[in-house]
């Protein structure tokens, strides 16, 4: 029996060491050297070096002076992230979208873009299409007392063209640039 037990235990210990210690440390080390920003969470810092969030996760912004991200079924909590799983025929989904549309609707601008009314699959998507950001320009410009053309230039600078898919704007990065351009009084 010990002739089978000893090699099995030795192999278990060796594989535990390789797959549980050596491999994770090697991958972490390579990631820290090759991709330090991504390996550390793609954090966005302000001018004082304080972390303001991750460019990979949406976060809520309250008030008229900020660009708003997509709604989140998980209230932007990473632990419970996910979609609402409400079917298109569900009255609760229709009510939530109707309430959001009523809040965001501006007669001078026409219908509210769908990206401002619907959640993403994870509930944490930090990006919006440029059209959804442009819909918010008049509100933010009025609240910040900045010309819309200035904000439009900021949006154009923040617009990203991914390798695959349409252009998107990272709302956290856009709001950070907005705060550098025209900080709100504290």
């Amino acid at each position: 029996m010990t002739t089978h037990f000893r090699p099995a235990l030795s192999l278990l210990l060796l594989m535990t060491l390789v797959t549980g210690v050596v491999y994770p440390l090697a991958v972490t080390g390579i990631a820290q050297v090759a991709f330090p920003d991504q390996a550390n969470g793609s954090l966005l810092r302000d001018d004082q070096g304080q972390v303001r969030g991750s460019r990979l996760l949406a976060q809520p912004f309250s008030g008229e002076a900020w660009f708003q991200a997509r709604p989140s079924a998980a209230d932007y909590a990473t632990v419970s992230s996910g979609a609402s799983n409400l079917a298109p025929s569900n009255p609760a989904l229709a009510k939530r979208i109707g309430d959001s549309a009523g809040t965001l609707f501006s007669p001078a601008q026409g219908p509210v873009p769908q990206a401002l009314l619907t959640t993403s699959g994870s509930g944490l998507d930090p990006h919006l299409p440029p059209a959804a950001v442009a819909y918010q320009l008049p509100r933010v410009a009025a609240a910040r007392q900045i010309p819309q053309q200035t904000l439009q230039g900021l949006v154009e600078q923040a617009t990203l063209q991914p390798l695959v898919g349409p252009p998107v704007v990272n709302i956290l990065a856009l709001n950070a640039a907005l705060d550098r351009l025209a900080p709100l009084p504290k």
Side-chain angles (χ1 to χ4, degrees), residues 65-171:
W66 299 103
F67 288 99
Q68 306 297 318
R70 306 179 73 117
S72 173
D75 198 30
Y76 305 99
T78 57
V79 174
S80 62
S81 69
S84 66
N85 293 333
L86 298 176
S89 59
N90 190 312
L93 178 63
K95 180 178 179 344
R96 189 194 58 74
I97 289 175
D99 291 346
S100 294
T103 303
L104 297 171
F105 180 71
S106 172
Q109 293 178 260
V112 179
Q114 185 177 3
L116 292 173
L117 301 174
T118 57
T119 62
S120 66
S122 68
L124 300 172
D125 185 4
H127 300 106
L128 278 178
V133 176
Y135 189 86
Q136 300 180 63
L137 281 174
R139 174 182 49 81
V140 175
R144 296 267 180 159
Q145 299 177 354
I146 302 172
Q148 282 191 43
Q149 295 80 6
T150 303
L151 284 181
Q152 182 60 41
L154 205 60
V155 170
E156 289 170 6
Q157 290 174 359
T159 301
L160 308 168
Q161 178 60 59
L163 188 59
V164 176
V168 293
V169 179
N170 186 295
I171 298 302

Side-chain angles (χ1 to χ4, degrees), residues 23-60:
Y23 179 75
L25 287 176
V27 169
T28 301
I30 291 169
Q32 288 293 332
V33 171
F35 308 104
D37 184 53
Q38 293 89 339
N40 291 307
S42 299
L43 301 177
L44 184 70
R45 298 177 188 275
D46 62 13
D47 295 335
Q48 290 76 36
Q50 295 291 324
V51 174
R52 293 296 171 204
S54 171
R55 287 185 295 278
L56 302 175
L57 300 172
Q59 60 186 36

Side-chain angles (χ1 to χ4, degrees), residues 5-19:
F5 184 68
R6 178 184 258 167
L9 184 59
S10 298
L11 186 59
L12 174 66
L13 291 174
L14 176 67
M15 293 309 293
T16 301
L17 182 67
V18 169
T19 60

